[in-house]
Amino acid sequence: MNEIKNALTDYAESFTSSESDVLTRLREHCYANYSDSSMLSGFFQGRVLSMLSYMIRPQVVLEIGTYLGYSALCLAEGLAEGGKVITLDVQEDTNREARSAVESSSFADKIEFLLGNAVDIIPNLSETFDLVFIDADKPNYSNYYNLVFEKVRPGGFILADNVLWSGKVLADYKDVETQALHDFNRMVLADDRVENVLLPIRDGLMIVRKG
Ligand SMILES: C[S@@+](CC[C@H](N)C(=O)[O-])C[C@H]1O[C@@H](n2cnc3c(N)ncnc32)[C@H](O)[C@@H]1O
């Protein structure tokens, strides 16, 4: 079963448009130098994020969890004229790398970096968001959803990565992170202010549309 799934994933990737050279360089740099490289969205999900951004044409995107800036660059591709991505992260060293990757791209003036704990930063943001991408510490996913909700415009979207958590959401015993993601999925489904789809690509991508 897994063999077929892997072969189909390879097939889907081979029939998906290529990414920019900047993104390929960043991804390869990450895989070669970072032990936690699985945190990066990766080629296929990157193309999905880019495509969703092009479909929404957001004026303002909020990303929670910058890492090396890969997904911020993907999301920036679909921005409306004059739009921006605000990306938050607490980690200084990866943030330096992310800034330098973005500097070498054509999105340097479209991506704004904020360093610190997202839980403290979000309440102070005054922007209205067309699109939010939640991709940071799992125990805070529900907090992030609640913190951003009123700042998302009606008709806007919230995406959340890793909501299948390598399949661990199915297990009877759930560790803290798995339980937090399962609780997040249940909270979204029960929220009558939104419609949602849990897309089983990569590690699970939740797509939420605010009514
Ligand atoms: C999975 S990585 C983000 C990957 C990135 N979105 C991508 O696809 O390329 C998660 C990031 O969240 C950051 N993070 C964890 N806890 C955080 C917090 N409380 N506030 C802000 N960032 C946090 C980590 O430092 C890490 O860089």
Side-chain angles (χ1 to χ4, degrees), residues 53-205:
S53 182
Y54 269 110
M55 290 162 79
I56 297 164
R57 283 284 176 194
Q59 197 57 242
V60 188
V61 177
L62 174 66
E63 176 180 68
I64 308 170
T66 311
Y67 191 42
L68 298 180
Y70 182 85
S71 50
L73 282 164
C74 296
L75 291 165
E77 290 176 8
L79 284 171
E81 187 66 37
K84 66 173 174 179
V85 176
I86 300 171
T87 183
L88 316 181
D89 208 292
V90 74
Q91 195 71 38
E92 271 182 48
D93 50 348
T94 48
N95 212 247
R96 261 195 305 277
E97 291 252 17
R99 284 169 199 255
S100 109
V102 167
E103 278 304 316
S104 71
S105 78
S106 54
F107 297 104
D109 58 342
K110 293 185 177 155
I111 300 181
E112 197 178 307
F113 294 89
L114 296 177
L115 189 62
N117 191 332
V119 174
D120 302 326
I121 295 174
I122 295 167
N124 297 316
L125 297 174
S126 56
E127 287 85 352
T128 298
F129 303 113
D130 304 293
L131 174 60
V132 175
F133 181 42
I134 301 174
D135 191 17
D137 47 328
K138 310 311 164 193
N140 269 320
Y141 266 38
S142 296
N143 286 339
Y144 293 142
Y145 181 87
N146 290 319
L147 283 171
V148 300
F149 198 85
E150 289 309 320
K151 297 172 188 283
V152 175
R153 70 159 163 82
F157 293 85
I158 300 172
L159 310 176
D161 195 16
N162 307 109
V163 294
L164 295 177
W165 209 224
S166 306
K168 286 189 272 182
V169 286
L170 293 177
D172 290 336
Y173 167 74
K174 294 179 175 63
D175 59 21
V176 172
E177 291 187 316
T178 309
Q179 189 62 50
L181 289 163
H182 184 56
D183 290 345
F184 172 78
N185 292 337
R186 286 200 303 197
M187 183 191 71
V188 169
L189 185 66
D191 187 348
D192 58 13
R193 302 168 300 176
V194 305
E195 289 191 6
N196 74 292
V197 178
L198 199 171
L199 215 59
I201 64 162
R202 205 181 75 109
D203 200 20
L205 183 68

